[in-house]
Amino acid sequence: MTDTAPVEPRASFDNWGPYALLAAGVVAAAVSARPVGMGRSAMAASAVLVATGALLQVWWGRVRRRQPGPSRTGVYFYFSRWGLGFVLTWLNPFFAFYAVTGYYTAARELPRRLVMPGLFLTAITMAGSEVGGMPPHGLLLWTGFLLVLGLNMGLVSVFTRFAFQEQERARVQAETITELERTNTALQQALDENAALHAQLLVQAREAGVADERRRLAAEIHDTLAQGLTGIIAQLQVVANTPDENLAREHAGRAMDLARHSLGEARRSVHNLAPVALEHDGLPQALNNTVAEWGERTGVRAEFTVAGATEQLHDEVSATLLRIAQEALSNASRHARAGRLGVTLTFLGDEVILDIRDDGVGFDPLALPSRTRTGGFGLDGMRARAERIAGSLTVETEPGHGTALSARVPLVRHDQ
């Protein structure tokens, strides 16, 4: 089923209206020929003019399809038809049925500057018909003619003004519709581009998420399995090198405890759960236990302190700070050769600060080796953990003067 565009009434009148009005004028003139005193010559002239008008209208119908709207050809046609109508109305006033066509078509066939002159000429023809025919006879009829002409022009001016206003509104509406179509097209293009960008961002976010998860798992494995295995190896070395059975049994038990602890950490790290130490305790207690166990295992004097009003932290914040502390303690046991170490957890306004200080040998921060397959996650891993939750990590150290590490992260409560 095809859609058929509706035909506007104006376009329909342009097609058949002039013929209908010409036919009405012919009928009215034929009926009134004797009363108005038309002779044979007037009737013959009228017949020729009517035929000319019909042919002119046929020709104009073909031209209009090629040249819609006002044009020079339209000006010639309008005034030619007006001349035919004027002469026919002079011969018989009832041919005004045909002459009135000029009122309906002036705005569509003439440029705007010629519309009022064209309507004025049509008004002259109509006024002459309305006073009984041209020319008026006597002062009274001439006075009537002028009055009727003035009335016609007044009405024409009012209606023409309304017509121009309507045309202007139609033009503005057409421009608005065109602009809306352009805007809609641009909006659709923007939406298409946004959809493509959104899809690209999703891919990038997915790739970034995969990379971040790989880094997290690598750090988790380093902080749990690697540290646990290091501790197990250290305990087993003591077992292998001591002749004391009781001491060997004690260190073997520690190695088993470390193995169980590391196994639980590995399982929970894979599932992205909290560290084992936080399963039943808050961060302060977990840090206290971790520092105490580390000091007992390494023989280093280790102290833990809490400052400020203790808050129940979000699981991710607690896990991040505990992992940083575990990594720092692991680094201290392997590299610092410290005799004393202190860990402080400070609740300060909207921040939580974890400070870890030792009196070890220190190091040159600018001379750190790059990460290798056997280690090197330490400082980079701790810094990445802090930055993942919008925090930061600073390190103050120099050879022979110990190390001070400080992690500052936002204080996010457990219920937020």
PDB file of all heavy atoms in Angstrom, residues 266-293:
ATOM      1  N   ALA A 266      45.242 -17.499  50.436  1.00  0.00           N
ATOM      2  CA  ALA A 266      45.181 -17.730  48.988  1.00  0.00           C
ATOM      3  C   ALA A 266      43.747 -17.936  48.532  1.00  0.00           C
ATOM      4  O   ALA A 266      43.312 -17.393  47.519  1.00  0.00           O
ATOM      5  CB  ALA A 266      46.041 -18.941  48.625  1.00  0.00           C
ATOM      6  N   ARG A 267      43.001 -18.752  49.298  1.00  0.00           N
ATOM      7  CA  ARG A 267      41.604 -18.997  48.920  1.00  0.00           C
ATOM      8  C   ARG A 267      40.784 -17.710  48.935  1.00  0.00           C
ATOM      9  O   ARG A 267      39.999 -17.437  48.036  1.00  0.00           O
ATOM     10  CB  ARG A 267      40.997 -20.025  49.868  1.00  0.00           C
ATOM     11  CG  ARG A 267      41.530 -21.446  49.645  1.00  0.00           C
ATOM     12  CD  ARG A 267      41.059 -22.369  50.738  1.00  0.00           C
ATOM     13  NE  ARG A 267      41.464 -23.761  50.481  1.00  0.00           N
ATOM     14  CZ  ARG A 267      41.357 -24.748  51.361  1.00  0.00           C
ATOM     15  NH1 ARG A 267      40.860 -24.487  52.575  1.00  0.00           N
ATOM     16  NH2 ARG A 267      41.744 -25.966  51.050  1.00  0.00           N
ATOM     17  N   ARG A 268      40.984 -16.919  49.963  1.00  0.00           N
ATOM     18  CA  ARG A 268      40.202 -15.690  50.079  1.00  0.00           C
ATOM     19  C   ARG A 268      40.653 -14.632  49.076  1.00  0.00           C
ATOM     20  O   ARG A 268      39.857 -13.843  48.594  1.00  0.00           O
ATOM     21  CB  ARG A 268      40.305 -15.151  51.515  1.00  0.00           C
ATOM     22  CG  ARG A 268      39.435 -15.954  52.466  1.00  0.00           C
ATOM     23  CD  ARG A 268      39.868 -15.762  53.921  1.00  0.00           C
ATOM     24  NE  ARG A 268      38.964 -16.474  54.807  1.00  0.00           N
ATOM     25  CZ  ARG A 268      38.983 -17.785  55.010  1.00  0.00           C
ATOM     26  NH1 ARG A 268      39.882 -18.530  54.376  1.00  0.00           N
ATOM     27  NH2 ARG A 268      38.128 -18.358  55.823  1.00  0.00           N
ATOM     28  N   SER A 269      41.922 -14.595  48.748  1.00  0.00           N
ATOM     29  CA  SER A 269      42.398 -13.642  47.745  1.00  0.00           C
ATOM     30  C   SER A 269      41.806 -13.947  46.389  1.00  0.00           C
ATOM     31  O   SER A 269      41.424 -13.044  45.642  1.00  0.00           O
ATOM     32  CB  SER A 269      43.933 -13.692  47.671  1.00  0.00           C
ATOM     33  OG  SER A 269      44.491 -13.248  48.884  1.00  0.00           O
ATOM     34  N   VAL A 270      41.718 -15.225  46.041  1.00  0.00           N
ATOM     35  CA  VAL A 270      41.134 -15.612  44.755  1.00  0.00           C
ATOM     36  C   VAL A 270      39.698 -15.166  44.671  1.00  0.00           C
ATOM     37  O   VAL A 270      39.199 -14.720  43.635  1.00  0.00           O
ATOM     38  CB  VAL A 270      41.259 -17.131  44.539  1.00  0.00           C
ATOM     39  CG1 VAL A 270      40.440 -17.579  43.332  1.00  0.00           C
ATOM     40  CG2 VAL A 270      42.725 -17.522  44.356  1.00  0.00           C
ATOM     41  N   HIS A 271      38.979 -15.271  45.774  1.00  0.00           N
ATOM     42  CA  HIS A 271      37.563 -14.876  45.806  1.00  0.00           C
ATOM     43  C   HIS A 271      37.374 -13.407  46.183  1.00  0.00           C
ATOM     44  O   HIS A 271      36.249 -12.956  46.382  1.00  0.00           O
ATOM     45  CB  HIS A 271      36.795 -15.760  46.785  1.00  0.00           C
ATOM     46  CG  HIS A 271      36.714 -17.194  46.360  1.00  0.00           C
ATOM     47  ND1 HIS A 271      35.942 -17.619  45.317  1.00  0.00           N
ATOM     48  CD2 HIS A 271      37.352 -18.302  46.829  1.00  0.00           C
ATOM     49  CE1 HIS A 271      36.071 -18.937  45.160  1.00  0.00           C
ATOM     50  NE2 HIS A 271      36.929 -19.376  46.071  1.00  0.00           N
ATOM     51  N   ASN A 272      38.477 -12.668  46.273  1.00  0.00           N
ATOM     52  CA  ASN A 272      38.420 -11.231  46.581  1.00  0.00           C
ATOM     53  C   ASN A 272      37.739 -10.959  47.916  1.00  0.00           C
ATOM     54  O   ASN A 272      37.007  -9.975  48.077  1.00  0.00           O
ATOM     55  CB  ASN A 272      37.703 -10.449  45.482  1.00  0.00           C
ATOM     56  CG  ASN A 272      38.025  -8.970  45.562  1.00  0.00           C
ATOM     57  OD1 ASN A 272      39.072  -8.594  46.074  1.00  0.00           O
ATOM     58  ND2 ASN A 272      37.141  -8.136  45.053  1.00  0.00           N
ATOM     59  N   LEU A 273      37.966 -11.827  48.899  1.00  0.00           N
ATOM     60  CA  LEU A 273      37.425 -11.623  50.236  1.00  0.00           C
ATOM     61  C   LEU A 273      38.457 -10.927  51.114  1.00  0.00           C
ATOM     62  O   LEU A 273      39.599 -10.714  50.711  1.00  0.00           O
ATOM     63  CB  LEU A 273      37.027 -12.962  50.851  1.00  0.00           C
ATOM     64  CG  LEU A 273      35.925 -13.712  50.094  1.00  0.00           C
ATOM     65  CD1 LEU A 273      35.646 -15.038  50.768  1.00  0.00           C
ATOM     66  CD2 LEU A 273      34.661 -12.893  49.996  1.00  0.00           C
ATOM     67  N   ALA A 274      38.024 -10.570  52.326  1.00  0.00           N
ATOM     68  CA  ALA A 274      38.930  -9.892  53.240  1.00  0.00           C
ATOM     69  C   ALA A 274      40.024 -10.848  53.706  1.00  0.00           C
ATOM     70  O   ALA A 274      39.853 -12.068  53.672  1.00  0.00           O
ATOM     71  CB  ALA A 274      38.150  -9.371  54.451  1.00  0.00           C
ATOM     72  N   PRO A 275      41.177 -10.312  54.128  1.00  0.00           N
ATOM     73  CA  PRO A 275      42.226 -11.180  54.669  1.00  0.00           C
ATOM     74  C   PRO A 275      41.729 -11.975  55.864  1.00  0.00           C
ATOM     75  O   PRO A 275      40.783 -11.581  56.551  1.00  0.00           O
ATOM     76  CB  PRO A 275      43.322 -10.183  55.082  1.00  0.00           C
ATOM     77  CG  PRO A 275      43.070  -8.972  54.255  1.00  0.00           C
ATOM     78  CD  PRO A 275      41.571  -8.912  54.077  1.00  0.00           C
ATOM     79  N   VAL A 276      42.405 -13.115  56.135  1.00  0.00           N
ATOM     80  CA  VAL A 276      41.987 -13.979  57.247  1.00  0.00           C
ATOM     81  C   VAL A 276      41.978 -13.220  58.557  1.00  0.00           C
ATOM     82  O   VAL A 276      41.083 -13.396  59.396  1.00  0.00           O
ATOM     83  CB  VAL A 276      42.926 -15.204  57.337  1.00  0.00           C
ATOM     84  CG1 VAL A 276      42.608 -16.039  58.565  1.00  0.00           C
ATOM     85  CG2 VAL A 276      42.807 -16.050  56.082  1.00  0.00           C
ATOM     86  N   ALA A 277      42.965 -12.344  58.734  1.00  0.00           N
ATOM     87  CA  ALA A 277      43.077 -11.620  59.998  1.00  0.00           C
ATOM     88  C   ALA A 277      41.882 -10.717  60.259  1.00  0.00           C
ATOM     89  O   ALA A 277      41.610 -10.358  61.415  1.00  0.00           O
ATOM     90  CB  ALA A 277      44.359 -10.795  60.004  1.00  0.00           C
ATOM     91  N   LEU A 278      41.161 -10.334  59.193  1.00  0.00           N
ATOM     92  CA  LEU A 278      39.991  -9.455  59.357  1.00  0.00           C
ATOM     93  C   LEU A 278      38.683 -10.218  59.401  1.00  0.00           C
ATOM     94  O   LEU A 278      37.617  -9.608  59.460  1.00  0.00           O
ATOM     95  CB  LEU A 278      39.948  -8.449  58.197  1.00  0.00           C
ATOM     96  CG  LEU A 278      41.086  -7.424  58.146  1.00  0.00           C
ATOM     97  CD1 LEU A 278      41.025  -6.635  56.855  1.00  0.00           C
ATOM     98  CD2 LEU A 278      41.031  -6.487  59.346  1.00  0.00           C
ATOM     99  N   GLU A 279      38.755 -11.513  59.344  1.00  0.00           N
ATOM    100  CA  GLU A 279      37.519 -12.302  59.275  1.00  0.00           C
ATOM    101  C   GLU A 279      36.696 -12.143  60.547  1.00  0.00           C
ATOM    102  O   GLU A 279      35.466 -12.102  60.503  1.00  0.00           O
ATOM    103  CB  GLU A 279      37.867 -13.765  59.023  1.00  0.00           C
ATOM    104  CG  GLU A 279      36.655 -14.632  58.727  1.00  0.00           C
ATOM    105  CD  GLU A 279      37.045 -16.026  58.276  1.00  0.00           C
ATOM    106  OE1 GLU A 279      38.247 -16.346  58.298  1.00  0.00           O
ATOM    107  OE2 GLU A 279      36.133 -16.792  57.901  1.00  0.00           O
ATOM    108  N   HIS A 280      37.395 -12.056  61.689  1.00  0.00           N
ATOM    109  CA  HIS A 280      36.687 -11.949  62.973  1.00  0.00           C
ATOM    110  C   HIS A 280      37.039 -10.686  63.744  1.00  0.00           C
ATOM    111  O   HIS A 280      36.358 -10.353  64.714  1.00  0.00           O
ATOM    112  CB  HIS A 280      36.994 -13.173  63.846  1.00  0.00           C
ATOM    113  CG  HIS A 280      36.625 -14.481  63.204  1.00  0.00           C
ATOM    114  ND1 HIS A 280      35.331 -14.840  62.937  1.00  0.00           N
ATOM    115  CD2 HIS A 280      37.405 -15.494  62.749  1.00  0.00           C
ATOM    116  CE1 HIS A 280      35.301 -16.034  62.357  1.00  0.00           C
ATOM    117  NE2 HIS A 280      36.559 -16.453  62.219  1.00  0.00           N
ATOM    118  N   ASP A 281      38.116  -9.986  63.355  1.00  0.00           N
ATOM    119  CA  ASP A 281      38.573  -8.808  64.096  1.00  0.00           C
ATOM    120  C   ASP A 281      38.525  -7.567  63.216  1.00  0.00           C
ATOM    121  O   ASP A 281      38.590  -7.658  61.986  1.00  0.00           O
ATOM    122  CB  ASP A 281      40.013  -9.008  64.585  1.00  0.00           C
ATOM    123  CG  ASP A 281      40.126 -10.187  65.545  1.00  0.00           C
ATOM    124  OD1 ASP A 281      39.203 -10.368  66.358  1.00  0.00           O
ATOM    125  OD2 ASP A 281      41.140 -10.923  65.462  1.00  0.00           O
ATOM    126  N   GLY A 282      38.464  -6.402  63.869  1.00  0.00           N
ATOM    127  CA  GLY A 282      38.588  -5.152  63.158  1.00  0.00           C
ATOM    128  C   GLY A 282      40.031  -4.882  62.798  1.00  0.00           C
ATOM    129  O   GLY A 282      40.956  -5.624  63.194  1.00  0.00           O
ATOM    130  N   LEU A 283      40.273  -3.785  62.066  1.00  0.00           N
ATOM    131  CA  LEU A 283      41.614  -3.482  61.606  1.00  0.00           C
ATOM    132  C   LEU A 283      42.600  -3.265  62.759  1.00  0.00           C
ATOM    133  O   LEU A 283      43.719  -3.810  62.714  1.00  0.00           O
ATOM    134  CB  LEU A 283      41.592  -2.253  60.684  1.00  0.00           C
ATOM    135  CG  LEU A 283      42.958  -1.806  60.153  1.00  0.00           C
ATOM    136  CD1 LEU A 283      43.584  -2.896  59.297  1.00  0.00           C
ATOM    137  CD2 LEU A 283      42.824  -0.518  59.353  1.00  0.00           C
ATOM    138  N   PRO A 284      42.269  -2.507  63.796  1.00  0.00           N
ATOM    139  CA  PRO A 284      43.253  -2.323  64.881  1.00  0.00           C
ATOM    140  C   PRO A 284      43.709  -3.639  65.510  1.00  0.00           C
ATOM    141  O   PRO A 284      44.901  -3.862  65.711  1.00  0.00           O
ATOM    142  CB  PRO A 284      42.505  -1.439  65.881  1.00  0.00           C
ATOM    143  CG  PRO A 284      41.514  -0.689  65.055  1.00  0.00           C
ATOM    144  CD  PRO A 284      41.072  -1.672  64.018  1.00  0.00           C
ATOM    145  N   GLN A 285      42.750  -4.523  65.809  1.00  0.00           N
ATOM    146  CA  GLN A 285      43.113  -5.804  66.421  1.00  0.00           C
ATOM    147  C   GLN A 285      43.895  -6.681  65.443  1.00  0.00           C
ATOM    148  O   GLN A 285      44.862  -7.350  65.815  1.00  0.00           O
ATOM    149  CB  GLN A 285      41.849  -6.542  66.875  1.00  0.00           C
ATOM    150  CG  GLN A 285      42.133  -7.830  67.647  1.00  0.00           C
ATOM    151  CD  GLN A 285      42.925  -7.576  68.916  1.00  0.00           C
ATOM    152  OE1 GLN A 285      42.649  -6.627  69.646  1.00  0.00           O
ATOM    153  NE2 GLN A 285      43.929  -8.410  69.179  1.00  0.00           N
ATOM    154  N   ALA A 286      43.495  -6.660  64.161  1.00  0.00           N
ATOM    155  CA  ALA A 286      44.210  -7.443  63.160  1.00  0.00           C
ATOM    156  C   ALA A 286      45.647  -6.954  63.012  1.00  0.00           C
ATOM    157  O   ALA A 286      46.581  -7.767  62.901  1.00  0.00           O
ATOM    158  CB  ALA A 286      43.476  -7.362  61.824  1.00  0.00           C
ATOM    159  N   LEU A 287      45.855  -5.633  63.000  1.00  0.00           N
ATOM    160  CA  LEU A 287      47.214  -5.095  62.917  1.00  0.00           C
ATOM    161  C   LEU A 287      48.021  -5.442  64.164  1.00  0.00           C
ATOM    162  O   LEU A 287      49.217  -5.778  64.081  1.00  0.00           O
ATOM    163  CB  LEU A 287      47.160  -3.577  62.735  1.00  0.00           C
ATOM    164  CG  LEU A 287      46.798  -3.068  61.332  1.00  0.00           C
ATOM    165  CD1 LEU A 287      46.604  -1.555  61.339  1.00  0.00           C
ATOM    166  CD2 LEU A 287      47.873  -3.451  60.324  1.00  0.00           C
ATOM    167  N   ASN A 288      47.382  -5.361  65.316  1.00  0.00           N
ATOM    168  CA  ASN A 288      48.069  -5.695  66.559  1.00  0.00           C
ATOM    169  C   ASN A 288      48.546  -7.144  66.535  1.00  0.00           C
ATOM    170  O   ASN A 288      49.705  -7.450  66.883  1.00  0.00           O
ATOM    171  CB  ASN A 288      47.133  -5.452  67.738  1.00  0.00           C
ATOM    172  CG  ASN A 288      47.827  -5.698  69.073  1.00  0.00           C
ATOM    173  OD1 ASN A 288      48.768  -4.986  69.419  1.00  0.00           O
ATOM    174  ND2 ASN A 288      47.384  -6.707  69.804  1.00  0.00           N
ATOM    175  N   ASN A 289      47.657  -8.057  66.102  1.00  0.00           N
ATOM    176  CA  ASN A 289      48.033  -9.477  66.046  1.00  0.00           C
ATOM    177  C   ASN A 289      49.142  -9.701  65.018  1.00  0.00           C
ATOM    178  O   ASN A 289      50.080 -10.470  65.249  1.00  0.00           O
ATOM    179  CB  ASN A 289      46.815 -10.324  65.680  1.00  0.00           C
ATOM    180  CG  ASN A 289      45.752 -10.289  66.758  1.00  0.00           C
ATOM    181  OD1 ASN A 289      46.023  -9.955  67.914  1.00  0.00           O
ATOM    182  ND2 ASN A 289      44.516 -10.607  66.380  1.00  0.00           N
ATOM    183  N   THR A 290      49.013  -9.027  63.856  1.00  0.00           N
ATOM    184  CA  THR A 290      50.016  -9.195  62.798  1.00  0.00           C
ATOM    185  C   THR A 290      51.379  -8.718  63.256  1.00  0.00           C
ATOM    186  O   THR A 290      52.408  -9.382  63.025  1.00  0.00           O
ATOM    187  CB  THR A 290      49.573  -8.432  61.535  1.00  0.00           C
ATOM    188  OG1 THR A 290      48.323  -8.947  61.088  1.00  0.00           O
ATOM    189  CG2 THR A 290      50.600  -8.567  60.430  1.00  0.00           C
ATOM    190  N   VAL A 291      51.436  -7.528  63.921  1.00  0.00           N
ATOM    191  CA  VAL A 291      52.710  -6.986  64.391  1.00  0.00           C
ATOM    192  C   VAL A 291      53.307  -7.883  65.472  1.00  0.00           C
ATOM    193  O   VAL A 291      54.532  -8.157  65.476  1.00  0.00           O
ATOM    194  CB  VAL A 291      52.512  -5.544  64.910  1.00  0.00           C
ATOM    195  CG1 VAL A 291      53.774  -5.034  65.593  1.00  0.00           C
ATOM    196  CG2 VAL A 291      52.118  -4.621  63.765  1.00  0.00           C
ATOM    197  N   ALA A 292      52.452  -8.361  66.383  1.00  0.00           N
ATOM    198  CA  ALA A 292      52.949  -9.233  67.458  1.00  0.00           C
ATOM    199  C   ALA A 292      53.506 -10.535  66.904  1.00  0.00           C
ATOM    200  O   ALA A 292      54.596 -10.987  67.313  1.00  0.00           O
ATOM    201  CB  ALA A 292      51.824  -9.501  68.453  1.00  0.00           C
ATOM    202  N   GLU A 293      52.784 -11.152  65.972  1.00  0.00           N
ATOM    203  CA  GLU A 293      53.263 -12.402  65.380  1.00  0.00           C
ATOM    204  C   GLU A 293      54.560 -12.181  64.611  1.00  0.00           C
ATOM    205  O   GLU A 293      55.485 -13.014  64.656  1.00  0.00           O
ATOM    206  CB  GLU A 293      52.191 -12.980  64.472  1.00  0.00           C
ATOM    207  CG  GLU A 293      50.964 -13.472  65.209  1.00  0.00           C
ATOM    208  CD  GLU A 293      49.835 -13.858  64.263  1.00  0.00           C
ATOM    209  OE1 GLU A 293      50.046 -13.736  63.022  1.00  0.00           O
ATOM    210  OE2 GLU A 293      48.760 -14.242  64.748  1.00  0.00           O
TER     211      GLU A 293
END
